[in-house]
Amino acid sequence: MPESLTKEEMKAYRVQGFSCVSCAKTFENNVKKLQGVENAEVNFGASKIYVKGQTTIEELEKAGSFENLKVQDEKEQKVEHEPFWKQKENIKVYISAVLLLASWILGKQLGEEHFLPTIGYAVSILVGGYSLFIKGFRNLIRLQFDMNTLMTIAIIGAAIIGEWVEGATVVILFAISEALERYSMDKARQSIESLMDIAPKEALIRRGNQEISIHVDDVQIGDIMIVKPGQKLAMDGTVIQGMSTLNQAAITGESVPVTKTVEDEVFAGTLNEEGLLEVSVTKRVEDTTLSKIIHLVEAAQAERAPSQAFVDKFAKYYTPAIVILAALIAIIPPLAGSGDWSTWIYQGLAVLVVGCPCALVVSTPVAVVTAIGNAAKNGVLIKGGVYLEETGNLKAIALDKTGTLTKGVPAVTDIVTYARNEDELMIITAAIEKGSQHPLASAIIKKVEAKGLHYNDVFMEEFQSITGKGVKAKINNEVYYVGSPSLFEELHNQIKNNQKEKITDLQTAGKTVMVLGTETEILAFIAVADEIRESSKEVISQLNHLGVDTVMLTGDNQRTAYAIGQQIGVADIEADLLPEDKLTFIKKLRGKHHVAMVGDGVNDAPALAASTVGVAMGGAGTDTALETADIALMSDDLNKLPYTVQLSRKALNIIKQNITFSLGIKAVALLLVVPGWLTLWIAIFADMGATLLVTLNSLRLLRIKKHHVMK
């Protein structure tokens, strides 16, 4: 959504028939001139226009009549696209081609000088190039030189010097080129359109004792939505009854179904696979996670990539330069006596055609739209072409440890007992720790509950917290202590050597050790650690393989951080960091090269903002992640990271290939002027061929899938 307009003051319309960026700009300017319209912005990538003020669809279509654009309210059911070969714009190409062929056959039989073939060619030119000429003449009057202006001059010039066959062929080939461009942009946009169609337009709602099917626009927050097996969810909400597995691929890109039960969050567009669910609606239809994804992807596709800005600036000076060059080629040699006028005017016209910037102008937007659409389908939100290109240039990725490389939930990993039964000691520890708010205490309680032990029945008295070291309490007339090894160093003056060694071993393995004991003896060691995500090691290995330096950032002590970092395989480990230290480190790293920061988007927000590219995990559940990050991984899955880097690199390479190729083929064709070999045929094939090839090259980005990442 355009940033310059706010959601409340604009209306969005879908537009069908955009063939090029300049046509979209012309349409935008036409709409701005309409009565009652205060402002308008076109999003070419999403094929939409946002209008501030009052207007009608009829008025908008009138403003787009130069390109035969069809306009539709965004909320209306999407009209199915006509098949490519049936589209109105393409029918005139068929008629023009038939007239050209018939005129050519007549010319062979009656002779090229006969007036009938000439009339046939003229009619063919008018039918195929009618809309082109109107745009070309308008631009010529305003001294605006774009591809329509160049083609109009070239075709009329060809007719004047008697090259009717080539003039008519140029018209047809240019129309085919535009149709293919339109087709490829539609193909690139299909990723967003498929997202739009994911969620149902109606929901089954229970109000009172009645179950009624109503349009999603009329569903209110707090309504109870009934979702039967095999149905898709129409709204976001919280499960209040039932249990089922949901396929969340549309939102997170993960095809493995997730079990959902009471109090779990569910999203519009996900598929309920087996159970009946009752869901309390928590968001209106325009605020659902799916709607946010669609709006973010559309806004991203409207963002200009740095290479697009270069192309636009280049084309601005390049097109008038081509007109001047063509004029010089047509005038100077005959004036200098190096050939007749018709030969050099023909060469000049061919230069105009070959100089058409079609391929150059389309080289970047098709690649950007395709890549961002593909990423969205795979559960990765890239918020603009600039971030796509920046990710392609990444040299280092810094990852927050807790919650990113690890699960962020401490768990008991080892229990070492020195007296009594293990279960008895765990019950005593849990009974003492249940009053504590410390995360390590919750890990112990979870472990005891998982073992099915009852600790709530234990009578405890004289509970006391020992600041920074642990707690103590009396159970069965005996005082027990639970705390750090340093607490027991103080209590017992010293810990036995074999026990000290055990503590060191556990700490070296990256675990935090808690001790249970009395004033006279140590009863047990309980080691707690934040569990490493199953995917972390594989992801870091893939990133290293892609030549990206990986850095782990953590507030843990050096020993624990080093143990976890070694296990995961990161290249660099930064420990003992406060949140502001993370920010300082990212700024320092950014001074050297392009760096991404990966975090959960909440407490990592400053570091995410300071990095070249901020990547947030688990965007599906948190609005903060969607808002603060440049890229959001919709699932809590790091596997998307190597895929995103590879997709961005591929997109960057394709953009560079497209720009190089579209300029290179023009340069080669222009050099053919020197020996006088450049013909209108070669010119139009060079122009159309380049446009077609850069488009097909860009569409290769649709083939990159998450599992295609190099191992």
Side-chain angles (χ1 to χ4, degrees):
M1 184 162 297
E3 286 178 21
S4 51
L5 300 175
T6 63
K7 196 173 178 181
E8 290 73 28
E9 60 186 11
M10 74 171 84
K11 188 165 174 56
Y13 299 89
R14 265 199 290 268
V15 186
Q16 253 183 296
F18 279 146
S19 62
C20 63
V21 181
S22 62
C23 311
K25 195 70 191 162
T26 306
F27 177 55
E28 183 184 287
N29 292 332
N30 289 354
V31 172
K32 281 178 182 175
K33 290 171 191 166
L34 291 176
Q35 200 172 352
V37 173
E38 293 174 50
N39 198 3
E41 285 189 34
V42 163
N43 179 335
F44 179 66
S47 205
K48 280 189 177 182
I49 185 164
Y50 298 90
V51 181
K52 181 184 178 185
Q54 295 300 314
T55 189
T56 62
I57 284 175
E58 289 73 26
E59 287 292 313
L60 291 171
E61 287 192 342
K62 207 180 283 180
S65 58
F66 70 95
E67 188 78 349
N68 200 25
L69 300 177
K70 291 281 166 279
V71 180
Q72 189 188 2
D73 193 309
E74 185 189 35
K75 288 184 179 175
E76 276 180 45
Q77 196 68 33
K78 197 164 96 280
V79 176
E80 283 303 307
H81 287 294
E82 271 187 312
F84 178 66
W85 59 274
K86 268 190 184 179
Q87 285 171 12
K88 198 174 173 182
E89 295 85 356
N90 298 341
I91 291 168
K92 64 182 183 187
V93 182
Y94 310 146
I95 298 167
S96 186
V98 169
L99 284 166
L100 172 65
L101 187 63
S103 304
W104 183 75
I105 293 166
L106 268 175
K108 289 289 174 196
Q109 291 176 346
L110 303 173
E112 289 296 335
E113 301 304 315
H114 202 279
F115 72 95
L116 273 177
T118 307
I119 290 170
Y121 292 136
V123 175
S124 172
I125 287 171
L126 282 171
V127 170
Y130 173 73
S131 58
L132 165 69
F133 296 148
I134 289 174
K135 286 183 266 186
F137 283 127
R138 273 189 195 146
N139 290 345
L140 207 50
I141 292 161
R142 296 179 194 138
L143 291 176
Q144 287 177 348
F145 293 98
D146 67 1
M147 51 194 116
N148 296 307
T149 324
L150 299 188
M151 295 307 273
T152 302
I153 298 168
I155 293 157
I156 291 168
I160 290 168
I161 61 169
E163 298 290 347
W164 290 97
V165 183
E166 294 191 27
T169 310
V170 165
V171 167
I172 290 165
L173 291 176
F174 183 70
I176 291 169
S177 170
E178 278 208 315
L180 289 169
E181 206 176 309
R182 205 163 41 243
Y183 171 75
S184 63
M185 275 311 293
D186 284 344
K187 192 92 177 144
R189 289 182 188 116
Q190 277 172 14
S191 298
I192 314 181
E193 293 192 353
S194 63
L195 284 175
M196 287 177 183
D197 297 335
I198 285 165
K201 296 291 176 275
E202 292 198 332
L204 185 63
I205 299 292
R206 182 189 296 136
R207 286 182 180 164
N209 296 323
Q210 262 191 319
E211 287 184 9
I212 47 171
S213 188
I214 62 173
H215 196 276
V216 286
D217 288 343
D218 303 320
V219 177
Q220 301 297 320
I221 291 171
D223 275 343
I224 306 302
M225 178 172 68
I226 314 295
V227 191
K228 295 174 181 174
Q231 287 185 340
K232 283 184 177 177
L233 278 74
M235 308 291 285
D236 281 14
T238 307
V239 178
I240 54 170
Q241 197 171 320
M243 182 178 176
S244 183
T245 54
L246 262 61
N247 186 326
Q248 301 193 139
I251 302 293
T252 64
E254 292 307 309
S255 53
V256 179
V258 180
T259 304
K260 297 282 183 178
T261 185
V262 177
E263 291 188 8
D264 283 343
E265 191 178 9
V266 289
F267 307 110
T270 55
L271 177 68
N272 180 20
E273 295 201 332
E274 51 196 38
L276 182 75
L277 290 177
E278 288 189 18
V279 176
S280 174
V281 175
T282 54
K283 290 175 184 172
R284 286 191 52 75
V285 66
E286 62 269 20
D287 298 322
T288 62
T289 301
L290 182 62
S291 295
K292 277 193 177 150
I293 291 171
I294 292 165
H295 281 302
L296 284 167
V297 172
E298 287 179 345
Q301 293 185 329
E303 288 282 322
R304 287 181 182 274
S307 52
Q308 176 69 18
F310 156 74
V311 165
D312 290 349
K313 198 170 182 182
F314 183 83
K316 188 179 168 186
Y317 299 105
Y318 163 84
T319 314
I322 285 290
V323 174
I324 294 164
L325 178 67
L328 294 173
I329 287 168
I331 296 165
I332 290 172
L335 284 177
S338 300
D340 59 67
W341 283 91
S342 64
T343 304
W344 286 105
I345 287 171
Y346 179 84
Q347 288 286 301
L349 296 175
V351 166
L352 278 183
V353 175
V354 88
C356 235
C358 303
L360 187 64
V361 169
V362 85
S363 61
T364 305
V366 180
V368 169
V369 168
T370 308
I372 289 174
N374 181 5
K377 283 182 86 168
N378 282 289
V380 178
L381 274 186
I382 302 172
K383 284 195 180 175
V386 61
Y387 306 118
L388 183 74
E389 289 196 16
E390 297 282 23
T391 307
N393 285 318
L394 284 180
K395 293 286 180 283
I397 294 181
L399 301 103
D400 182 49
K401 179 189 77 85
T402 310
T404 302
L405 290 168
T406 64
K407 292 179 180 174
V409 182
V412 173
T413 56
D414 302 81
I415 302 165
V416 182
T417 58
Y418 290 100
R420 305 192 215 176
N421 172 279
E422 183 184 300
D423 288 353
E424 183 194 337
L425 293 173
M426 287 303 287
I427 289 168
I428 291 168
T429 311
I432 295 169
E433 286 283 18
K434 72 180 175 188
S436 171
Q437 296 299 310
H438 200 279
L440 300 182
S442 64
I444 290 167
I445 288 163
K446 267 188 198 161
K447 181 73 174 176
V448 171
E449 284 174 349
K451 290 178 102 174
L453 305 173
H454 302 286
Y455 62 93
N456 283 316
D457 308 337
V458 176
F459 179 71
M460 177 185 68
E461 53 190 338
E462 296 177 25
F463 177 86
Q464 187 187 334
S465 177
I466 305 160
T467 309
K469 291 185 180 159
V471 290
K472 72 172 185 174
K474 188 186 273 189
I475 297 172
N476 295 334
N477 290 322
E478 190 167 5
V479 177
Y480 292 94
Y481 291 81
V482 179
S484 62
S486 60
L487 171 67
F488 285 86
E489 283 277 12
E490 286 176 21
L491 281 173
H492 302 167
N493 290 327
Q494 69 172 74
I495 299 171
K496 291 175 189 170
N497 282 338
N498 65 326
Q499 291 175 335
K500 261 189 185 171
E501 281 170 22
K502 189 65 190 171
I503 291 169
T504 306
D505 289 346
L506 291 167
Q507 285 177 337
T508 306
K511 297 167 185 179
T512 303
V513 180
M514 294 173 74
V515 185
L516 168 70
T518 64
E519 284 181 348
T520 55
E521 66 175 329
I522 286 173
L523 301 172
F525 293 151
I526 301 161
V528 176
D530 185 359
E531 285 185 89
I532 293 168
R533 286 179 188 269
E534 291 83 358
S535 58
S536 292
K537 196 172 179 183
E538 173 66 10
V539 166
I540 296 299
S541 161
Q542 285 181 19
L543 289 172
N544 291 337
H545 182 76
L546 288 167
V548 178
D549 291 336
T550 49
V551 186
M552 183 180 86
L553 308 181
T554 178
D556 282 350
N557 62 62
Q558 282 283 0
R559 187 187 281 171
T560 306
Y562 190 76
I564 292 171
Q566 287 285 92
Q567 215 174 322
I568 294 169
V570 289
D572 189 11
I573 299 154
E574 297 292 325
D576 292 314
L577 298 178
L578 296 168
E580 55 267 31
D581 297 332
K582 287 183 188 177
L583 183 60
T584 309
F585 179 77
I586 290 291
K587 282 181 176 172
K588 192 176 94 180
L589 205 56
R590 192 177 176 175
K592 296 179 196 168
H593 42 224
H594 287 70
V595 60
M597 168 72 193
V598 186
D600 61 11
V602 183
N603 52 8
D604 300 314
L608 287 175
S611 58
T612 318
V613 180
V615 183
M617 298 269 291
T622 58
D623 289 347
T624 323
L626 289 177
E627 283 154 23
T628 57
D630 305 318
I631 294 176
L633 310 182
M634 297 309 290
S635 65
D636 227 11
D637 178 16
L638 266 181
N639 281 308
K640 302 274 169 59
L641 207 49
Y643 154 78
T644 308
V645 171
Q646 197 168 337
L647 176 74
S648 301
R649 283 185 179 179
K650 190 80 175 166
L652 201 56
N653 285 337
I654 280 176
I655 289 168
K656 284 174 184 171
Q657 287 165 14
N658 286 352
I659 293 171
T660 307
F661 177 74
S662 52
L663 288 175
I665 203 163
K666 306 267 179 223
V668 169
L670 288 172
L671 286 173
L672 294 178
V673 172
V674 180
W677 295 345
L678 183 62
T679 65
L680 278 173
W681 298 93
I682 293 172
I684 194 66
F685 275 114
D687 178 60
M688 192 179 98
T691 306
L692 192 56
L693 284 170
V694 300
T695 302
L696 293 173
N697 195 29
S698 299
L699 291 178
R700 287 196 300 135
L701 288 164
L702 287 172
R703 287 168 33 208
I704 296 177
K705 299 283 186 285
K706 188 167 79 78
H707 56 269
H708 283 180
V709 175
M710 293 179 292
K711 295 287 187 245

